[in-house]
Amino acid sequence: MDQMRRDQSRRDALAALGSEDRLATSEDGVEGATGSSTVVGDPKKAMYGEKVKQAILPNFSTISTNSKLKVHVLVTIDGAGNVKGFEVKKTSGDPSFDAAALRAVSKTPQVPQPSAEVLGGNPPWVLNLVFSPSDVQ
């Protein structure tokens, strides 16, 4: 079941990729580089964002079954893959669901080491990760 969920996340990420230039909307071009189906961007950045999200998901749990909930969390990562900060960018409207996503990130002090070649620029990098109840493992 977990593999099916990961495969679907990857398919969603690839389907969402487009030609939008994030450099025009994000100073470092990294914000929004996630495996979320709501993100448009570079495939390598999206794949890295998905790796980060997959590292966090084992710590994500919620009792909410409202499939419409989505919280956008900005996660700051240094060059070694250490999570240096996080905050809600866009709330789901459910404070307990948002708190569950933040708790998951806080329980994940390190994620796969990023590559400047993939993310561009210099660390730290900021990723916009989107969590929904369907992400619960």
Side-chain angles (χ1 to χ4, degrees):
M1 187 67 144
D2 290 336
Q3 184 61 40
M4 288 174 53
R5 205 174 287 146
R6 282 191 288 274
D7 290 345
Q8 183 60 46
S9 288
R10 284 187 193 98
R11 284 192 295 274
D12 290 346
L14 292 173
L17 298 175
S19 60
E20 179 179 313
D21 179 7
R22 273 195 323 281
L23 288 175
T25 58
S26 173
E27 184 176 294
D28 61 6
V30 175
E31 183 178 322
T34 75
S36 163
S37 62
T38 62
V39 175
V40 176
D42 180 282
K44 289 180 182 178
K45 292 176 184 175
M47 297 276 285
Y48 176 71
E50 181 61 23
K51 286 181 184 179
V52 170
K53 186 174 177 181
Q54 291 303 317
I56 294 169
L57 286 181
N59 296 316
F60 182 53
S61 64
T62 179
I63 58 170
S64 179
T65 57
N66 181 348
S67 63
K68 294 181 182 182
L69 292 178
K70 289 187 183 187
V71 60
H72 296 245
V73 178
L74 296 180
V75 180
T76 304
I77 300 166
D78 71 12
N82 298 306
V83 175
K84 301 308 276 181
F86 51 90
E87 64 181 314
V88 171
K89 177 181 181 183
K90 183 177 178 187
T91 181
S92 67
D94 180 337
S96 65
F97 183 77
D98 295 356
L102 292 176
R103 197 168 32 256
V105 177
S106 74
K107 290 180 176 182
T108 313
Q110 188 159 26
V111 297
Q113 187 170 358
S115 162
E117 178 183 315
V118 171
L119 296 180
N122 295 313
W125 294 286
V126 178
L127 300 176
N128 178 25
L129 303 180
V130 181
F131 295 89
S132 66
S134 64
D135 289 326
V136 174
Q137 297 182 345

